[in-house]
Amino acid sequence: LFVWAELQPGLNSEQLLRDALSEKVAFVPGGAFFVGTPRDEMLRLNFSNRPPSLIEEGIARLGRVVRRQPIQSA
């Protein structure tokens, strides 16, 4: 039902979500799924409720959002 993705170091899935929503694509930030130290560079993608053509479009939109993100130093 879900695929996990890891962003490159310096990206934060919570911040990315705000920009992704403006492109009409959503995911679940991964930090809340970790016990102890959250992994804010992780995100969870659902593939169970959309046809492949819409998933492909959503990934393309998400890719554009990721490429626009400034990298934060750790």
Side-chain angles (χ1 to χ4, degrees), residues 9-59:
L11 292 180
N12 180 297
S13 61
E14 292 275 347
Q15 294 170 351
L16 182 68
L17 180 59
R18 288 189 286 270
D19 290 338
L21 291 173
S22 71
E23 292 284 337
K24 302 202 183 320
V25 64
F27 58 84
V28 179
F33 293 95
F34 291 85
V35 176
T37 304
R39 301 263 325 264
D40 294 325
E41 74 283 3
M42 301 296 292
L43 53 100
R44 190 175 82 164
L45 303 166
N46 180 300
F47 63 87
S48 66
N49 65 354
R50 294 288 181 245
S53 61
L54 289 179
I55 292 172
E56 188 175 325
E57 175 61 28
I59 292 298

